Amino acid sequence: MTTGLIDTPHWPALTVVLAAVLLGDALLSVRPPAFIRDCLDGVRLPRDWWWILIAIKLVAVAGLLVGLHYPGVGVAANVGVVAYFVCAAVAHVRARFLGTTFWVNCLGMLVLSGVVLVVSYV
């Protein structure tokens, strides 16, 4: 559906893949395995705040999926996901927590969400 400058994604499958990966990440974070605990502790995020990351990811999943049918919603959600992982990368750099979780998980998700944004909406 075209309504102007912002459309639904050109490659909806990529948006679904991003939503699925974020959903998996959110579900894993409910009872985080060691690598997620180590990552969140490594960037010094207080444990009392961990739940908010799950909420953010679930809202992003909903926005990405709703955006498959409603122009503008998906791009807004996708921009939010990119911003989330930019903030995560900044947190890693500030905490000097630059191990494998930074390079693979954090930057990997930043690249995935950025590629989906560019390919789906440009």
Side-chain angles (χ1 to χ4, degrees):
M1 165 189 326
T2 302
T3 61
L5 296 177
I6 300 176
D7 200 359
T8 55
H10 307 304
W11 296 91
L14 288 177
T15 299
V16 171
V17 166
L18 179 58
V21 170
L22 282 173
L23 179 60
D25 189 8
L27 293 176
L28 269 175
S29 298
V30 171
R31 297 194 65 151
F35 76 94
I36 292 177
R37 285 192 313 269
D38 293 345
C39 179
L40 297 176
D41 285 336
V43 297
R44 297 184 206 82
L45 184 68
R47 287 186 181 231
D48 291 349
W49 294 5
W50 288 11
W51 67 271
I52 196 72
L53 303 180
I54 299 167
I56 290 168
K57 291 171 188 172
L58 291 175
V59 168
V61 168
L64 289 167
L65 295 178
V66 167
L68 294 173
H69 300 289
Y70 294 97
V73 175
V75 71
N78 205 152
V79 167
V81 173
V82 170
Y84 173 88
F85 285 106
V86 166
C87 291
V90 169
H92 276 265
V93 170
R94 288 186 63 173
R96 292 187 174 95
F97 191 72
L98 303 174
T100 304
T101 57
F102 171 68
W103 293 101
V104 175
N105 301 350
C106 183
L107 292 185
M109 286 300 297
L110 179 57
V111 168
L112 174 63
S113 58
V115 167
V116 171
L117 178 64
V118 170
V119 171
S120 293
Y121 296 101
V122 174

